[in-house]
Amino acid sequence: MRRFLAFLLLLCLPLLAGAQTLHSPDGRLALRVVVPSPDYLPSYELRRDGKLVTNGLLGLSLETNGQHIAYRSIRALDSARIDTTWTPVWGETRAIRCQYHELALTLGESAGPPPVGLIAGTVVVRFRLFNDGLGFRYEVPAQPGIGAVRVRSENTSFRFPDTATAWWLPGDYDTNEYPYTRSPLAEAGYRSAVRAPEIGLQTPTAPDDRTLQTPLLLKVPLAGKRNLYVSLHEAAQVDFPAMQLAFEPTTDGKVLRAHLTNGPIWPQVFAYLQTPAVTPWRTIVVSDKATDLLASKLILNLNEPSKITGDVSWIKPQKFVGVWWEMHVNRSKWSYSDSSNLKLANTDFSKLKPHNRHGATTANVKKYIDFAAKHGFPSVLVEGWNVGWEDWYGNWKEEVFDFVTPYPDFDVKELQQYAASKKVSLIMHHETSGSVTNYERRLPAALDFMQAHGYPAVKTGYVGRIIPRGEHHDGQWMSNHFVRVAEEMAKRKLLIDMHESVRPTGLHRTWPNWLASEAARGNEFNAWSQGNTPAHETILPFTRLMGGPMDYTPGIFQIKLDHWNKDANQGRAVHTTLAKQLALYLTMYSPLQMAADLPEAYEARPDAFQFIKDVPVDWADTRYLTAEPGEYITVARQDKNSPDWYIGAITNEQPREQTVRLDFLPKGQQFEATIYADAPDAHWDTNPMAYRITRQKVTSKSVLKLKLAPGGGAAVRLAARR
Amino acid sequence: MRRFLAFLLLLCLPLLAGAQTLHSPDGRLALRVVVPSPDYLPSYELRRDGKLVTNGLLGLSLETNGQHIAYRSIRALDSARIDTTWTPVWGETRAIRCQYHELALTLGESAGPPPVGLIAGTVVVRFRLFNDGLGFRYEVPAQPGIGAVRVRSENTSFRFPDTATAWWLPGDYDTNEYPYTRSPLAEAGYRSAVRAPEIGLQTPTAPDDRTLQTPLLLKVPLAGKRNLYVSLHEAAQVDFPAMQLAFEPTTDGKVLRAHLTNGPIWPQVFAYLQTPAVTPWRTIVVSDKATDLLASKLILNLNEPSKITGDVSWIKPQKFVGVWWEMHVNRSKWSYSDSSNLKLANTDFSKLKPHNRHGATTANVKKYIDFAAKHGFPSVLVEGWNVGWEDWYGNWKEEVFDFVTPYPDFDVKELQQYAASKKVSLIMHHETSGSVTNYERRLPAALDFMQAHGYPAVKTGYVGRIIPRGEHHDGQWMSNHFVRVAEEMAKRKLLIDMHESVRPTGLHRTWPNWLASEAARGNEFNAWSQGNTPAHETILPFTRLMGGPMDYTPGIFQIKLDHWNKDANQGRAVHTTLAKQLALYLTMYSPLQMAADLPEAYEARPDAFQFIKDVPVDWADTRYLTAEPGEYITVARQDKNSPDWYIGAITNEQPREQTVRLDFLPKGQQFEATIYADAPDAHWDTNPMAYRITRQKVTSKSVLKLKLAPGGGAAVRLAARR
């Protein structure tokens, strides 16, 4: 089989022999595309300052009309140098520079007809080499006789040295909510992953356990205590399955090969394309400083520009509160009654006996609206407002929710008027239960309903096995679904926050109304058993967030959860200090940030709450000051709408002091720093809610020493003196 | 495995030992439900006049929450006697009598908890015994702890003697457009089926070739030259896969077992149910006269009453013409241009170079509107009006059609006005190409479009592999789709005609706006290579039509198709005489009948065309006068809206004379008979277009002798003298 694929996908170089080399704009990265001999697959090699970063094979196995497509010779070489700057609708910085050198290899058949069973075709491999890494993709142009194309496998691979340390999630087609495992790369895989029995739906990647998800973070030691940080992921995953990574069986854990998420017709076909077609970009971000990895815009730069042209004033980065955490901490429920086994079509929900623990009641939502209005939050999310929660999960049931019928105790019109009178918006909630056919056919009516009732934004959810049965969250069909939903929302000027979606790949550049996704293990897991480790939030920005913003739902003040429900939450707690929850608004970049805790929790600590009220969600500038995956992150950001700066610092279970030089501040300008820090005796486990707020005047010459408790953090507001 | 299933599904009779017996209202049919011993599956036996018709096993293998459901004892026996009459919105008769004796066995667990791995449940097997046959189904009531239920297999079987002759289609999950094969039952199966290479998508039923589709017709010889005619099928196939029949491997072709159409998760689960749930009815229609089989209303009687309540005046049985056959005979095309590999989303169809053979042009449609208006047809079907036909088939492509964008040469508004001015309706065409997810998400807009442009009816099509990929035309998911579409159409008072759907099971009683389906090998196959045998139309009413009306598209006058296009249609012809085409309007009952040929064909033979103009599509009464499957059918029907009667008679390749006693006419009333008969030298192959029209006065005492040429037929109008 290997020999056949090699034969199939071979680069012969009758015209252009040997290797092609490309350098990054700063000259430090070098890419070589190598064609060793006709018997082997083409390959690439990426070096930084002359040192090997990774190398591997190239190629897609493609079929059209039952014939394999042959493209074994270089027909053309094109290159380009790009240096532009673009302005995101929202982001970590006001402008983004996009600078790369490009090499496009056009592969085809040069002489005579191909062997029997093969059809001659053209495939372009396009490389874009930035100062901070490489992106490449495969393109199948429109060409005579080749319209519909099926992808039978992808041969792209990545080789890393034995010494690489990895932070990884086990391969899975349906969930990315595992905790991260850190291990030598060669030991990674489902069987050695941290167990996560709390994830109900796990579909470990076929064919075996030796697969990993992306973004995959690697740290490779170099000589002299230096390291390379490498992030493997993809950009612009559209109309193509998500890439996972499988260890090549014979390579002792050194070589990872692209493994595409199965569709229902596995193992025959992974993707159905129509020419002209392009794959997502395979991305390798490389840095010798961990902070530079966090600052990389490579994935955004490989995505298409925004398709939302004209007025974008309706795309509003924002903070929100919601009827949500109170369900997680067992104070109320999504459901309205204790009935079970209900059928949506023939249940009169007004006749059910309420259990009187329903969260989304008119009265309770008004309480949140009042709270939002009082404290300046523009939006209130309400989950559990619509009928169906009595029987919504676990049965692979198609008719779950209709997205338009409220429970009897949720008065849509009254709340619409009440929210409007308080100048607060309600955020719609569309939990699909994974029943996507049901959601798609009800979507037009659901969006009409949103617009008729003044909802400018929606949080979607995909908890459960996907219908169409046989499809997966990370497959091609679902990748199209997620983009389609973003597009439908954009047409109606609606914002969206997707939960349980495929992990992002920078598509928020193209669809900036797609403010955030969950697509990772959020703060909510702290409300259940095992929770998240204190290191968790120091890993996420190096992994999941490489693809885009996360709705992590920070801001939990009531760290010990038995406060809310002694019986149900015994021993449960968020695994950070309170001050670290504040810092997360900085370290976990997102244009959509929840103040996730209950109003009571905030009203009990108005001084700390002030920080959440103050912190922006859209930035003019960002500086990653210190960072080490799994250990700590310190970041400073400048508000897009004022001269104020903010700093967030977090640590894992180790206490530390972070020295922050304020030399990013404009010279001569005075700032008042408000420092929200862990109290001296604070500790994520034993004393998490002890914090201390101090104030001092600072300038660009000042140095702050932020003391972080075990599992702690610090948040700083630097308000320019007016 | 057999032992395990036996164990699982066992009927123990601690309370009610032995066998239960039920008789039909007329006493001629006897059903026994037998429980031989705890080691065997329960079984049933059906006798007519004491002679065995069939017997077999009973049971569904069900699972909930990973446990098999045990129901091994009779907990209750209920019986009922029903005799009612109901009025269909349209049909073969003005009223339908529904008379049966019912036996319901409630099965459960009587003593103590079931063995480990099993969960106690309740299942009802409900039998309804009519004078003309048996229907039974399985019901899983709502019950504590059993909500979501998965069907792992169905054990229902049917045993027939060695001597049975069968008319059958090979088992297939995606097409029912095979020609019928006649053979001893024991020899039936894909490998011995008549080959049909013209069917592009064939998915022979797993696990092997020894499967058949329903409706399955059997003829079983009895002593004294008598025979039993038996039709096996199902009624009310809703939320359940279509049943096919698989030969039990060890029974020498005597025992057929229910085999459910695979879903994408085969072989684990065939259906996902939620209690309360019922399966479709398994039906066995039995008769000693072939004509009685044709007259059976058993399947309709087992369906639910109409869900369309209130005004039904919009449900109009009708004849129609259309821009359709001209594409089949290569006079024009569905497509607009010769371009290929187009993407719906980014193609400007107005920029394509037209091939100038497009059928659905404004001018051509006006011609059909004029023709319809002149000759009294209320409707004109137009296929190929909407963009996408350049690249619509064979690539399992999702974004095929949008159902709202016309080709540049089809002026929707102008045609809307023109049709309205002529009091003619246009019939919408929705070809899905099997891409059902695409159709479902676009359906609301497509129906809005229909209503905005005055289309009261739609013909749908499902040519191609189904998307969701892995689903099949005959599976549970698609059965829900078809019903959902009928329901959506009903909500908007739209009529529907489904092509390439699952074969019908009487659901037009419940959704009378669902006028017809294709779901079999229609007249159109005569436009391609092999075509239909002269016997084909004498088999369809005994098989496919048992489940409901077919849009067969009769009325082809220009039998030799090279008339339309010498090069493309060389040697192609419809395999009947012209007179037989007229007779089909009677022998193939449908409330929706096309006059399928081109206007030119009808205008060339206005005398014969008069019959198509006169013949009704809704009936007060129907009498099947003579019939033998594969040989001949003669039927008389009385117009629902006048005292006139009509007679149709057809034969296979054998010439015959049919003697028709008009004793069904009201005594004393005079009628003028117009007889459209084959000319004496007519022959389906050598002289198919020779016909003779004669007139005579008749009364109830008259006897007509209808001479049918080889492959011929006769049509008679009996107009009451006013």
Side-chain angles (χ1 to χ4, degrees), chain B residues 457-470:
Chain B
V458 60
K459 172 181 171 180
T460 55
Y462 295 87
V463 177
R465 294 183 83 175
I466 297 297
I467 300 177
R469 296 189 182 95

Side-chain angles (χ1 to χ4, degrees), chain B residues 254-315:
Chain B
K254 289 178 197 159
V255 177
L256 293 160
R257 180 169 158 185
H259 173 90
L260 304 178
T261 299
N262 289 342
I265 311 301
W266 184 85
Q268 302 166 12
V269 180
F270 291 98
Y272 300 81
L273 308 179
Q274 185 181 358
T275 62
V278 299
T279 68
W281 298 91
R282 280 64 187 94
T283 60
I284 308 165
V285 181
V286 191
S287 169
D288 42 19
K289 290 201 293 190
T291 49
D292 287 351
L293 207 71
L294 297 179
S296 174
K297 297 290 175 287
L298 183 144
I299 285 175
L300 272 182
N301 278 328
L302 287 168
N303 273 270
E304 295 294 312
S306 175
K307 299 206 182 205
I308 303 175
T309 51
D311 173 38
V312 291
S313 63
W314 56 276
I315 303 177

Side-chain angles (χ1 to χ4, degrees), chain B residues 459-499:
Chain B
K459 172 181 171 180
T460 55
Y462 295 87
V463 177
R465 294 183 83 175
I466 297 297
I467 300 177
R469 296 189 182 95
E471 297 286 355
H472 295 290
H473 286 71
D474 287 4
Q476 182 189 23
W477 195 87
M478 283 300 291
S479 87
N480 284 327
H481 167 78
F482 295 124
V483 173
R484 186 183 303 122
V485 169
E487 185 173 1
E488 287 299 314
M489 298 286 172
K491 280 182 192 163
R492 296 177 184 240
K493 300 196 175 183
L494 298 172
L495 305 176
I496 185 161
D497 170 23
M498 293 190 196
H499 280 231

Side-chain angles (χ1 to χ4, degrees), chain A residues 640-651:
Chain A
K640 205 177 208 170
N641 302 304
S642 82
D644 299 348
W645 284 76
Y646 292 78
I647 300 168
I650 60 171
T651 179

Side-chain angles (χ1 to χ4, degrees), chain A residues 662 670-674 695-699 702 704 718 721:
Chain A
L662 302 186
Q670 280 221 330
F671 288 80
E672 176 165 283
T674 310
R695 289 185 179 74
Q696 64 184 91
K697 297 200 178 9
V698 296
T699 67
S702 307
L704 295 182
L718 298 168
R721 298 289 292 274

Side-chain angles (χ1 to χ4, degrees), chain B residues 68-319:
Chain B
H68 279 277
I69 301 177
Y71 50 98
R72 295 170 297 162
S73 306
I74 293 184
R75 306 294 305 277
L77 280 174
D78 295 287
S79 62
R81 294 177 171 226
I82 302 294
D83 188 357
T84 59
T85 297
W86 57 280
T87 306
V89 176
W90 43 261
E92 294 184 274
T93 57
R94 198 182 289 283
I96 294 174
R97 183 174 180 183
C98 177
Q99 187 191 19
Y100 61 83
H101 290 173
E102 177 170 299
L103 173 68
L105 272 69
T106 301
L107 307 178
E109 292 290 295
S110 57
V116 171
L118 300 186
I119 180 173
T122 297
V123 169
V124 176
V125 191
R126 188 175 304 276
F127 300 89
R128 289 186 177 165
L129 193 56
F130 298 78
N131 290 337
D132 59 351
L134 171 67
F136 62 92
R137 72 177 181 189
Y138 304 97
E139 304 177 356
V140 192
Q143 50 197 296
I146 299 185
V149 171
R150 296 180 180 194
V151 179
R152 304 305 292 261
S153 67
E154 175 168 345
N155 305 299
T156 310
S157 64
F158 309 90
R159 174 184 293 267
F160 291 98
D162 279 346
T163 53
T165 296
W167 285 260
W168 51 273
L169 305 182
D172 194 299
Y173 296 143
D174 281 302
T175 181
N176 33 43
E177 299 194 353
Y178 292 97
Y180 288 96
T181 303
R182 174 189 170 149
S183 76
L185 176 60
E187 294 171 13
Y190 195 84
R191 261 166 274 178
S192 54
V194 176
R195 288 284 165 267
E198 65 274 19
I199 303 174
L201 171 60
Q202 299 186 24
T203 315
T205 302
D208 59 33
D209 86 314
R210 297 284 284 148
T211 54
L212 309 176
Q213 298 195 41
T214 75
L216 174 66
L217 173 66
L218 298 170
K219 182 176 174 182
V220 182
L222 300 180
K225 290 200 171 179
R226 290 181 305 121
N227 294 287
L228 265 188
Y229 297 88
V230 180
S231 171
L232 281 189
H233 191 38
E234 57 183 323
Q237 186 217 334
V238 176
D239 198 17
F240 209 78
M243 177 179 74
Q244 309 216 347
L245 299 166
F247 284 103
E248 287 278 18
T250 56
T251 61
D252 299 331
K254 289 178 197 159
V255 177
L256 293 160
R257 180 169 158 185
H259 173 90
L260 304 178
T261 299
N262 289 342
I265 311 301
W266 184 85
Q268 302 166 12
V269 180
F270 291 98
Y272 300 81
L273 308 179
Q274 185 181 358
T275 62
V278 299
T279 68
W281 298 91
R282 280 64 187 94
T283 60
I284 308 165
V285 181
V286 191
S287 169
D288 42 19
K289 290 201 293 190
T291 49
D292 287 351
L293 207 71
L294 297 179
S296 174
K297 297 290 175 287
L298 183 144
I299 285 175
L300 272 182
N301 278 328
L302 287 168
N303 273 270
E304 295 294 312
S306 175
K307 299 206 182 205
I308 303 175
T309 51
D311 173 38
V312 291
S313 63
W314 56 276
I315 303 177
K316 291 181 177 141
Q318 62 191 280
K319 291 172 287 185

Side-chain angles (χ1 to χ4, degrees), chain A residues 65 142 146-148 150 264-265 272 274-277 341-343 391 394-399 437 440-441 444 465 467-471 476-477 484, chain B residues 65 142 146-148 150 264-265 272 274-277 341-343 391 394-399 437 440-441 444 465 467-471 476-477 484:
Chain A
N65 294 318
I146 299 184
R150 297 180 179 194
I265 311 299
Y272 300 81
Q274 184 180 359
T275 60
N341 189 35
L342 300 179
K343 293 189 185 185
D391 184 23
N395 292 324
W396 224 1
K397 172 176 152 175
E398 188 157 9
E399 301 287 316
T437 48
E440 288 200 341
R441 69 174 75 98
R465 295 183 82 174
I467 300 178
R469 296 189 181 94
E471 297 286 355
Q476 182 189 22
W477 195 86
R484 188 183 302 122
Chain B
N65 294 319
I146 299 185
R150 296 180 180 194
I265 311 301
Y272 300 81
Q274 185 181 358
T275 62
N341 188 36
L342 301 179
K343 294 190 185 184
D391 184 22
N395 291 324
W396 224 0
K397 172 176 154 177
E398 189 157 9
E399 302 287 315
T437 48
E440 289 200 342
R441 71 174 74 98
R465 294 183 83 175
I467 300 177
R469 296 189 182 95
E471 297 286 355
Q476 182 189 23
W477 195 87
R484 186 183 303 122

